[in-house]
Amino acid sequence: MALFVPKDRKSLFRQFLAGMYDAVVITDPSGHILEINPRAEEHFGYQQEEVLDQPVTKMIPGLTPEIVQRIRKGLDENRRVMIDATGKTKDGRRFFCEVAISPIEMTDPDDLVFTIRNIERRRQIMELLRAKEDAFNISQSALFTCDTDGRFTATNEAFREMFGIASEEDAKGLLFADVMTDDPLPANFKKALAGETTVTGIVAENENDDNEEVEVVIAPCRLGRKVRGVVGSVIKI
């Protein structure tokens, strides 16, 4: 029968570092690099031997020795510090990142571990979402979104003006059935929940008691394959 031989702590620690999703840089108290994990090599384009004993500013330019010392003092009261920073790769490319800094005892009790997460893609997604939100808000078409219960979750200014709703908060207190009462719109809402998109011409009465024709598009809002709500537009023809 084979005997289980436990590995030494350093070997287990290095296996742990190798399996981490985030880039990890370990430095001495002055911010000089002692070790990096494979993810850090992948993110920054350096092999470990290229950065040993180099200042951490080689990879995170904003982390100057003065900043590192200030962070170390802050760690006396808080065992972890989070900062937004910019990483710099070997070829000079820069990327936005989140850096968590905490103490670790390697060769010195005041050694530091920098856990670095690339948030470039997250920022790009957020910027795209903000651009879509801006387009939604300034559109001259009346636009809306509802949850599966038929309650409005978002409306733009054109929609609120068209239906005489004072504010976004007021709109969120209303149901689709409270506002879009003309047939076949209630039925079309149910079709959207079932995954169908409908386009319907409606003759409606405006604020001047005049009739005007509008086109109402109601479509499912999907997350993956599942319908999470309904989106729509109302356009004067």
Side-chain angles (χ1 to χ4, degrees):
M1 179 178 177
L3 295 176
F4 172 73
V5 180
K7 296 185 178 182
D8 63 88
R9 290 180 64 188
K10 183 171 283 189
S11 174
L12 289 171
F13 176 70
R14 288 206 166 95
Q15 284 188 39
F16 173 73
L17 283 185
M20 287 189 67
Y21 172 79
D22 295 319
V24 175
V25 177
I26 297 171
T27 76
D28 64 18
S30 62
H32 285 77
I33 297 169
L34 300 172
E35 189 164 351
I36 66 175
N37 73 341
R39 188 69 166 175
E41 293 180 336
E42 178 186 327
H43 272 2
F44 292 93
Y46 291 106
Q47 296 299 306
Q48 178 164 286
E49 57 269 20
E50 296 180 90
V51 293
L52 286 180
D53 204 34
Q54 295 292 314
V56 72
T57 50
K58 190 176 185 73
M59 302 168 84
I60 311 289
L63 290 175
T64 63
E66 295 77 17
I67 297 294
V68 171
Q69 293 306 312
R70 196 180 309 162
I71 288 170
R72 280 188 58 240
K73 290 179 182 178
L75 288 172
D76 292 338
E77 299 177 359
N78 185 349
R79 299 299 289 174
R80 190 180 186 217
V81 172
M82 287 283 295
I83 62 171
D84 291 324
T86 302
K88 184 180 179 182
T89 64
K90 183 177 179 179
D91 61 9
R93 183 178 61 83
R94 292 177 182 260
F95 62 92
F96 293 105
C97 57
E98 286 177 346
V99 183
I101 306 152
S102 53
I104 188 172
E105 186 172 341
M106 290 284 285
T107 58
D108 189 296
D110 291 325
D111 290 339
L112 298 170
V113 56
F114 297 79
T115 305
I116 304 157
R117 176 163 295 185
N118 187 328
I119 59 170
E120 192 75 23
R121 184 170 179 271
R122 187 198 306 172
R123 284 178 63 97
Q124 290 172 352
I125 291 172
M126 291 303 296
E127 287 172 1
L128 177 61
L129 289 174
R130 280 194 290 268
K132 288 184 176 180
E133 184 178 356
D134 288 343
F136 178 89
N137 288 327
I138 67 171
S139 173
Q140 294 183 3
S141 300
L143 305 176
F144 66 90
T145 67
C146 293
D147 61 22
T148 54
D149 293 327
R151 191 169 300 279
F152 289 109
T153 54
T155 56
N156 69 350
E157 186 175 348
F159 183 90
R160 295 191 296 273
E161 285 183 358
M162 180 177 286
F163 292 95
I165 301 170
S167 68
E168 176 76 346
E169 287 306 309
D170 288 341
K172 288 180 178 179
L174 298 172
L175 294 170
F176 178 89
D178 296 330
V179 178
M180 314 283 276
T181 57
D182 297 288
D183 288 330
L185 299 183
N188 287 353
F189 186 92
K190 293 179 181 179
K191 289 180 180 179
L193 290 178
E196 183 180 343
T197 297
T198 58
V199 181
T200 308
I202 297 289
V203 176
E205 192 175 273
N206 61 25
E207 63 274 12
N208 299 318
D209 296 328
D210 296 325
N211 289 334
E212 62 183 5
E213 190 174 355
V214 297
E215 182 181 82
V216 183
V217 180
I218 306 175
C221 177
R222 300 179 186 275
L223 183 59
R225 295 184 178 181
K226 189 167 184 179
V227 175
R228 298 290 186 176
V230 167
V231 297
S233 65
V234 185
I235 305 170
K236 294 179 182 180
I237 300 175

